[in-house]
Amino acid sequence: MTQKKPIKKIVIVGGGTAGWMAAAVLSRLKTGRQLDIALVESEAIGTVGVGEATIPPFVDFNRLLEVDEREMLAASQGSFKLGIQFVNWGKQGDSYIHPFGAYGYEMGGISFHHVWHKFREAGDNRPIQVFNLETMAAHFGKFARTQDYARDDLPPVNYAYHLDAGRYAQFLRKYAEARGVVRHEGRINDVRLDGESGFVTSVQLENGGELEGELFIDCSGFRGLLIEQALQTGYEDWTHWLPCNRAVALPCNRDDGSPPPPYTRATAHSAGWQWQVPLQHRNGNGHVYCDAFMSADEAHDILVSNIAGKPTADPNHLRFVTGRRKKFWNRNVVALGLSAGFMEPLESTSIHLINTGINKLVSLLSLDGVTQAQEDAFNRLTAKEYARIRDFLILHYNATSRDDSKFWNYCRTMSVPDTLTEKLELFRMNGQIFREDDELFTETSWAAVMMGQGIVMGGHNAVADTLEEVSTRKELDEMEKSIRFVVQHMPGHGDYLKRYCPARAIA
Ligand code: FAD
């Protein structure tokens, strides 16, 4: 549906991470144009209050905003993240890291894991992890950025952040308000639609205010105030593949005074899993579970007995339904954040989807009006992104040999999307991984999780056998040596944070 009405005012509904990320980026479009941007949020309703682990594209998001990394991390008590450690997933007692950087590098035009497999078959017992800088640094609790090296012939460090979500939103609020975004406090109690087109024309506030606009960004969280409650867009439910539907979050101190590890930890329990997100001043913790297999009390007790120190807040109980809106852009409403969908936080992909949603919106946006072509392109591209991430998440649950609970028996034996079945078959056959539709997860990501969950590569790409053995082995040795060298010379993560971006005192 097309509305050839020039866009002079954009209204962002919601001031959580999604709302303020959108406001910060859109505020940059105001330069040299007549464009008003309003953001409305309700302190009484509040934000979801979780969502503290990110992935590497988020570093670029902040870079594009030209925010100072040190200042942002100090303000949000942030720390660095080199990957995610998965504990007890393939089977109890297992542990592996899904790192942000690649295993080795391409050799002979093929991915490194094929070459590693060829040498492994020939008796080289080195685990693939020694060829990944982020895994090794995480293992030893070390951190530095590539810019800190005095040399440029060493492997780069790929990283993301752990952040206090509330503080990060406040940081972006200051940024956006300084660039002219106008914040309105109040609860929306009505949404007005145009009788003919069905486009949203305004939102009404309980305090009597009204905000009109030509484009509305729905960042209202799970409730989907505009996209669902007003436009009834519909929801695709993925509970049968991603059955967890509840979480309890509980931040805590690190009582032993240990430095924050440079990675997120995801520990599987009997009906879900627990996150540990180490910030400078505390750990974020939470237990994601399925209420068909575990009660809220049990989930809470398991969490409390597996955290590093005294809780610093009351438990925050949350409910969700995994899946996505049938459309992310409907008429003149674009949904970002939890109002668009939620898969679950296992691979820290939600904030990333806000980021890519904003990127697509800005690329497609024309201030001349809203067209069907924009809507269709946005929806098609976003749906593909969601589906690829969904498959990657399902992999963690389905590729397991755990049979110690009804939950794991369900996950292990459930049917999975055909797209995932194909990926698994190809990897089992000869380690082949195809990255489709610009998907987020790299070959290393798929290889790390598949191998980490216990899937065995049955063979490798035939090109690996054509590589000259002596010189290739020498390259592998050099690779391992330079990673060891970098890690040895990195400071501890805690020391790095103290020097680079010490957290500002909490008021
Ligand atoms: P919210 O934070 O819920 O904000 C909604 C906003 O809308 C609020 O400002 C509210 O006041 C406003 N609002 C709602 N209704 C009205 C109304 N009627 N009138 C006025 N204002 C209104 N993501 C990650 O990337 N990494 C993670 O580690 C991660 N962990 C998570 C763990 C859990 C258990 C959950 C549930 C989510 C997690 N996420 C994570 C997702 C992440 O929390 C969200 O993507 C992110 O916080 C964005 O939320 P939001 O801004 O869409 O919604």
Side-chain angles (χ1 to χ4, degrees):
M1 202 174 286
T2 295
Q3 179 184 257
K4 271 288 170 202
K5 214 172 171 189
I7 296 172
K8 296 202 179 114
K9 183 156 187 181
I10 299 177
V11 179
I12 300 169
V13 171
T17 310
W20 285 113
M21 280 174 72
V25 174
L26 293 173
S27 71
R28 292 168 68 89
L29 300 183
K30 282 172 63 63
T31 312
R33 284 195 185 90
Q34 182 51 46
L35 176 66
D36 291 337
I37 302 173
L39 182 146
V40 56
E41 65 176 319
S42 157
E43 268 171 28
I45 294 175
T47 64
V48 74
V50 283
E52 308 196 308
T54 66
I55 55 177
F58 186 69
V59 175
D60 295 328
F61 174 83
N62 287 281
R63 226 173 254 156
L64 286 174
L65 288 179
E66 296 176 282
V67 303
D68 182 316
E69 182 178 64
R70 301 173 90 141
E71 214 178 284
M72 187 276 288
L73 288 171
S76 53
Q77 314 266 339
S79 68
F80 290 96
K81 170 177 173 186
L82 295 166
I84 306 174
Q85 182 191 35
F86 289 92
V87 180
N88 295 340
W89 282 83
K91 59 181 183 333
Q92 276 175 310
D94 267 6
S95 168
Y96 70 93
I97 285 185
H98 167 197
F100 288 147
Y103 287 144
Y105 49 77
E106 265 190 20
M107 297 171 98
I110 53 169
S111 290
F112 178 78
H113 66 276
H114 294 287
V115 183
W116 168 79
H117 188 267
K118 169 212 156 95
F119 277 86
R120 184 102 176 158
E121 278 192 332
D124 185 333
N125 280 328
R126 283 176 287 189
I128 197 163
Q129 286 78 10
V130 303
F131 300 103
N132 177 264
L133 175 64
E134 291 78 9
T135 305
M136 298 311 288
H139 182 74
F140 290 105
K142 302 278 201 89
F143 183 78
R145 298 168 314 135
T146 313
Q147 300 92 303
D148 302 318
Y149 302 170
R151 288 166 48 179
D152 59 9
D153 59 336
L154 297 170
V157 185
N158 296 278
Y159 65 82
Y161 310 123
H162 300 121
L163 304 161
D164 181 312
R167 286 170 166 266
Y168 180 66
Q170 287 310 308
F171 181 85
L172 289 186
R173 174 178 164 184
K174 270 197 208 138
Y175 178 102
E177 287 185 323
R179 286 162 183 77
V181 172
V182 178
R183 175 186 180 274
H184 299 260
E185 169 60 36
R187 183 190 285 260
I188 295 168
N189 61 2
D190 196 17
V191 179
R192 300 242 159 104
L193 305 182
D194 180 84
E196 216 171 289
S197 65
F199 276 49
V200 174
T201 54
S202 69
V203 291
Q204 311 287 309
L205 305 189
E206 227 169 41
N207 59 21
E210 175 174 14
L211 291 170
E212 291 181 340
E214 289 80 38
L215 182 69
F216 289 80
I217 317 291
D218 188 347
C219 299
S220 64
F222 286 128
R223 50 181 60 75
L225 203 63
L226 308 185
I227 196 82
E228 195 58 53
Q229 291 184 12
L231 298 186
Q232 299 180 350
T233 302
Y235 196 77
E236 211 174 293
D237 184 335
W238 289 340
T239 307
H240 50 296
W241 287 320
L242 294 170
C244 289
N245 58 358
R246 290 236 200 168
V248 50
L250 189 66
C252 76
N253 291 320
R254 270 190 305 279
D255 282 353
D256 62 0
S258 58
Y263 53 86
T264 306
R265 181 176 296 142
T267 307
H269 291 307
S270 63
W273 64 278
Q274 172 182 345
W275 77 78
Q276 177 187 278
V277 175
L279 302 176
Q280 289 189 46
H281 59 307
R282 62 161 171 86
N283 282 352
N285 309 288
H287 187 179
V288 175
Y289 62 100
C290 173
D291 68 0
F293 299 98
M294 184 175 277
S295 70
D297 287 345
E298 209 183 330
H300 173 263
D301 292 349
I302 290 173
L303 181 61
V304 170
S305 54
N306 286 288
I307 57 178
K310 273 193 272 325
T312 55
D314 291 332
N316 178 10
H317 288 271
L318 300 146
R319 287 167 188 266
F320 54 86
V321 178
T322 53
R324 67 161 177 93
R325 283 297 155 223
K326 289 190 172 152
K327 285 178 172 186
F328 308 94
W329 183 323
N330 190 358
R331 295 173 212 180
N332 62 339
V333 172
V334 179
L336 293 174
L338 297 171
S339 69
F342 184 57
M343 286 184 263
E344 73 140 278
L346 190 55
E347 285 280 355
S348 320
T349 43
S350 295
I351 294 173
H352 172 74
L353 285 165
I354 300 171
N355 178 359
T356 58
I358 296 170
N359 293 348
K360 282 193 292 288
L361 170 63
V362 170
S363 313
L364 289 166
L365 193 65
S366 153
L367 296 182
D368 291 341
V370 172
T371 68
Q372 191 64 48
Q374 289 169 311
E375 181 181 320
D376 291 346
F378 190 92
N379 287 331
R380 191 181 62 253
L381 296 170
T382 312
K384 280 186 182 168
E385 247 185 312
Y386 266 72
R388 297 281 80 81
I389 293 174
R390 176 202 67 196
D391 286 3
F392 191 62
L393 296 179
I394 297 171
L395 169 68
H396 299 65
Y397 287 99
N398 179 245
T400 180
S401 53
R402 282 191 67 153
D403 59 2
D404 53 294
S405 70
K406 285 185 179 159
F407 173 80
W408 287 108
N409 286 340
Y410 172 79
C411 294
R412 203 186 62 252
T413 56
M414 69 185 167
S415 68
V416 301
D418 293 345
T419 39
L420 177 58
T421 305
E422 184 189 283
K423 271 211 146 84
L424 290 166
E425 270 180 29
L426 292 175
F427 188 77
R428 282 197 180 102
M429 204 168 63
N430 72 343
Q432 198 54 54
I433 299 162
F434 291 106
R435 247 180 119 180
E436 284 176 54
D437 302 324
D438 289 334
E439 74 175 286
L440 168 65
F441 291 107
T442 62
E443 287 196 38
T444 290
S445 292
W446 281 96
V449 174
M450 290 207 249
M451 292 196 262
Q453 298 282 141
I455 298 178
V456 177
M457 265 173 87
H460 49 253
N461 187 316
V463 174
D465 297 320
T466 67
L467 298 173
E468 203 280 315
E469 194 165 331
V470 175
S471 61
T472 310
R473 188 184 297 281
K474 201 162 157 245
E475 252 189 278
L476 258 62
D477 293 347
E478 284 300 320
M479 216 184 276
E480 186 193 354
K481 211 166 98 193
S482 62
I483 289 173
R484 204 177 319 129
F485 175 84
V486 174
V487 174
Q488 268 168 2
H489 288 84
M490 280 175 164
H493 180 226
D495 292 337
Y496 192 92
L497 292 170
K498 272 188 210 142
R499 213 182 53 223
Y500 183 69
C501 53
R504 277 192 216 126
I506 301 175

PDB file of all heavy atoms in Angstrom, residues 22 34 59 127 147 193 242 271 292 336 338 343 377 392 403 506:
ATOM      1  N   ALA A  22      17.203   3.369  17.432  1.00  0.00           N
ATOM      2  CA  ALA A  22      16.573   3.949  16.233  1.00  0.00           C
ATOM      3  C   ALA A  22      16.676   5.473  16.278  1.00  0.00           C
ATOM      4  O   ALA A  22      17.017   6.119  15.278  1.00  0.00           O
ATOM      5  CB  ALA A  22      15.117   3.505  16.138  1.00  0.00           C
ATOM      6  N   GLN A  34      14.283  19.252   6.895  1.00  0.00           N
ATOM      7  CA  GLN A  34      13.175  19.541   7.793  1.00  0.00           C
ATOM      8  C   GLN A  34      12.545  18.197   8.191  1.00  0.00           C
ATOM      9  O   GLN A  34      11.701  17.661   7.490  1.00  0.00           O
ATOM     10  CB  GLN A  34      12.160  20.446   7.069  1.00  0.00           C
ATOM     11  CG  GLN A  34      10.967  20.880   7.917  1.00  0.00           C
ATOM     12  CD  GLN A  34      11.403  21.476   9.253  1.00  0.00           C
ATOM     13  OE1 GLN A  34      12.312  22.301   9.313  1.00  0.00           O
ATOM     14  NE2 GLN A  34      10.759  21.045  10.327  1.00  0.00           N
ATOM     15  N   VAL A  59      29.756  -3.394  17.340  1.00  0.00           N
ATOM     16  CA  VAL A  59      30.909  -2.487  17.459  1.00  0.00           C
ATOM     17  C   VAL A  59      30.855  -1.489  16.298  1.00  0.00           C
ATOM     18  O   VAL A  59      31.043  -0.289  16.471  1.00  0.00           O
ATOM     19  CB  VAL A  59      32.236  -3.299  17.454  1.00  0.00           C
ATOM     20  CG1 VAL A  59      33.445  -2.376  17.460  1.00  0.00           C
ATOM     21  CG2 VAL A  59      32.272  -4.251  18.653  1.00  0.00           C
ATOM     22  N   PRO A 127      43.857 -29.635  18.581  1.00  0.00           N
ATOM     23  CA  PRO A 127      42.444 -29.261  18.450  1.00  0.00           C
ATOM     24  C   PRO A 127      42.311 -28.011  17.588  1.00  0.00           C
ATOM     25  O   PRO A 127      43.219 -27.175  17.570  1.00  0.00           O
ATOM     26  CB  PRO A 127      42.003 -28.983  19.892  1.00  0.00           C
ATOM     27  CG  PRO A 127      43.242 -28.756  20.658  1.00  0.00           C
ATOM     28  CD  PRO A 127      44.372 -29.452  19.945  1.00  0.00           C
ATOM     29  N   GLN A 147      44.311  -2.712  17.497  1.00  0.00           N
ATOM     30  CA  GLN A 147      45.004  -1.412  17.462  1.00  0.00           C
ATOM     31  C   GLN A 147      46.109  -1.325  18.517  1.00  0.00           C
ATOM     32  O   GLN A 147      46.972  -0.460  18.435  1.00  0.00           O
ATOM     33  CB  GLN A 147      44.032  -0.257  17.750  1.00  0.00           C
ATOM     34  CG  GLN A 147      42.874  -0.125  16.783  1.00  0.00           C
ATOM     35  CD  GLN A 147      41.652  -0.874  17.243  1.00  0.00           C
ATOM     36  OE1 GLN A 147      41.717  -2.078  17.475  1.00  0.00           O
ATOM     37  NE2 GLN A 147      40.520  -0.196  17.361  1.00  0.00           N
ATOM     38  N   LEU A 193      -6.130   5.500  13.282  1.00  0.00           N
ATOM     39  CA  LEU A 193      -5.820   5.022  11.928  1.00  0.00           C
ATOM     40  C   LEU A 193      -6.596   5.848  10.914  1.00  0.00           C
ATOM     41  O   LEU A 193      -7.721   6.289  11.190  1.00  0.00           O
ATOM     42  CB  LEU A 193      -6.229   3.554  11.759  1.00  0.00           C
ATOM     43  CG  LEU A 193      -5.667   2.524  12.744  1.00  0.00           C
ATOM     44  CD1 LEU A 193      -6.149   1.119  12.378  1.00  0.00           C
ATOM     45  CD2 LEU A 193      -4.142   2.551  12.761  1.00  0.00           C
ATOM     46  N   LEU A 242      11.702 -23.824  19.058  1.00  0.00           N
ATOM     47  CA  LEU A 242      12.434 -23.118  20.118  1.00  0.00           C
ATOM     48  C   LEU A 242      11.497 -23.034  21.321  1.00  0.00           C
ATOM     49  O   LEU A 242      10.816 -22.029  21.529  1.00  0.00           O
ATOM     50  CB  LEU A 242      12.841 -21.714  19.621  1.00  0.00           C
ATOM     51  CG  LEU A 242      13.859 -21.694  18.477  1.00  0.00           C
ATOM     52  CD1 LEU A 242      14.008 -20.296  17.884  1.00  0.00           C
ATOM     53  CD2 LEU A 242      15.217 -22.220  18.944  1.00  0.00           C
ATOM     54  N   ALA A 271      15.851 -28.001  31.726  1.00  0.00           N
ATOM     55  CA  ALA A 271      14.741 -27.573  30.858  1.00  0.00           C
ATOM     56  C   ALA A 271      15.026 -26.197  30.277  1.00  0.00           C
ATOM     57  O   ALA A 271      14.134 -25.370  30.141  1.00  0.00           O
ATOM     58  CB  ALA A 271      13.423 -27.565  31.642  1.00  0.00           C
ATOM     59  N   ALA A 292       6.572 -25.814  30.179  1.00  0.00           N
ATOM     60  CA  ALA A 292       5.921 -27.131  30.095  1.00  0.00           C
ATOM     61  C   ALA A 292       6.752 -28.175  30.852  1.00  0.00           C
ATOM     62  O   ALA A 292       6.273 -29.267  31.166  1.00  0.00           O
ATOM     63  CB  ALA A 292       5.775 -27.542  28.632  1.00  0.00           C
ATOM     64  N   LEU A 336      10.634  -2.705  15.309  1.00  0.00           N
ATOM     65  CA  LEU A 336      12.034  -3.019  15.630  1.00  0.00           C
ATOM     66  C   LEU A 336      12.099  -3.544  17.059  1.00  0.00           C
ATOM     67  O   LEU A 336      11.327  -3.102  17.914  1.00  0.00           O
ATOM     68  CB  LEU A 336      12.896  -1.759  15.543  1.00  0.00           C
ATOM     69  CG  LEU A 336      13.096  -1.103  14.164  1.00  0.00           C
ATOM     70  CD1 LEU A 336      13.856   0.214  14.331  1.00  0.00           C
ATOM     71  CD2 LEU A 336      13.846  -2.023  13.214  1.00  0.00           C
ATOM     72  N   LEU A 338      11.761  -6.074  20.239  1.00  0.00           N
ATOM     73  CA  LEU A 338      10.877  -7.166  20.678  1.00  0.00           C
ATOM     74  C   LEU A 338       9.505  -7.092  20.023  1.00  0.00           C
ATOM     75  O   LEU A 338       8.796  -8.097  19.954  1.00  0.00           O
ATOM     76  CB  LEU A 338      10.761  -7.138  22.208  1.00  0.00           C
ATOM     77  CG  LEU A 338      12.097  -7.383  22.936  1.00  0.00           C
ATOM     78  CD1 LEU A 338      11.952  -7.126  24.434  1.00  0.00           C
ATOM     79  CD2 LEU A 338      12.601  -8.797  22.693  1.00  0.00           C
ATOM     80  N   MET A 343      13.530 -14.547  19.226  1.00  0.00           N
ATOM     81  CA  MET A 343      13.839 -15.967  19.081  1.00  0.00           C
ATOM     82  C   MET A 343      14.302 -16.538  20.399  1.00  0.00           C
ATOM     83  O   MET A 343      13.811 -17.529  20.841  1.00  0.00           O
ATOM     84  CB  MET A 343      14.843 -16.142  17.976  1.00  0.00           C
ATOM     85  CG  MET A 343      14.154 -15.933  16.632  1.00  0.00           C
ATOM     86  SD  MET A 343      15.182 -16.224  15.241  1.00  0.00           S
ATOM     87  CE  MET A 343      15.704 -14.577  14.868  1.00  0.00           C
ATOM     88  N   ALA A 377      10.359  -5.176   0.310  1.00  0.00           N
ATOM     89  CA  ALA A 377      11.801  -5.462   0.392  1.00  0.00           C
ATOM     90  C   ALA A 377      12.205  -5.645   1.851  1.00  0.00           C
ATOM     91  O   ALA A 377      12.915  -6.593   2.206  1.00  0.00           O
ATOM     92  CB  ALA A 377      12.599  -4.333  -0.258  1.00  0.00           C
ATOM     93  N   PHE A 392      20.086 -21.643  13.234  1.00  0.00           N
ATOM     94  CA  PHE A 392      21.325 -21.748  14.015  1.00  0.00           C
ATOM     95  C   PHE A 392      21.006 -21.996  15.487  1.00  0.00           C
ATOM     96  O   PHE A 392      21.676 -22.784  16.162  1.00  0.00           O
ATOM     97  CB  PHE A 392      22.135 -20.454  13.837  1.00  0.00           C
ATOM     98  CG  PHE A 392      23.529 -20.543  14.362  1.00  0.00           C
ATOM     99  CD1 PHE A 392      24.443 -21.447  13.836  1.00  0.00           C
ATOM    100  CD2 PHE A 392      23.959 -19.708  15.393  1.00  0.00           C
ATOM    101  CE1 PHE A 392      25.746 -21.519  14.319  1.00  0.00           C
ATOM    102  CE2 PHE A 392      25.259 -19.777  15.872  1.00  0.00           C
ATOM    103  CZ  PHE A 392      26.146 -20.685  15.336  1.00  0.00           C
ATOM    104  N   ASP A 403      19.923 -37.040  27.286  1.00  0.00           N
ATOM    105  CA  ASP A 403      18.650 -37.755  27.418  1.00  0.00           C
ATOM    106  C   ASP A 403      18.240 -37.821  28.895  1.00  0.00           C
ATOM    107  O   ASP A 403      17.572 -38.747  29.334  1.00  0.00           O
ATOM    108  CB  ASP A 403      18.758 -39.170  26.817  1.00  0.00           C
ATOM    109  CG  ASP A 403      19.855 -39.992  27.487  1.00  0.00           C
ATOM    110  OD1 ASP A 403      20.498 -39.471  28.428  1.00  0.00           O
ATOM    111  OD2 ASP A 403      20.075 -41.139  27.072  1.00  0.00           O
ATOM    112  N   ILE A 506      28.513   4.271  40.014  1.00  0.00           N
ATOM    113  CA  ILE A 506      27.059   4.209  39.885  1.00  0.00           C
ATOM    114  C   ILE A 506      26.452   5.193  40.876  1.00  0.00           C
ATOM    115  O   ILE A 506      26.780   5.167  42.056  1.00  0.00           O
ATOM    116  CB  ILE A 506      26.556   2.782  40.160  1.00  0.00           C
ATOM    117  CG1 ILE A 506      27.211   1.827  39.167  1.00  0.00           C
ATOM    118  CG2 ILE A 506      25.040   2.704  40.092  1.00  0.00           C
ATOM    119  CD1 ILE A 506      26.899   0.388  39.392  1.00  0.00           C
TER     120      ILE A 506
END
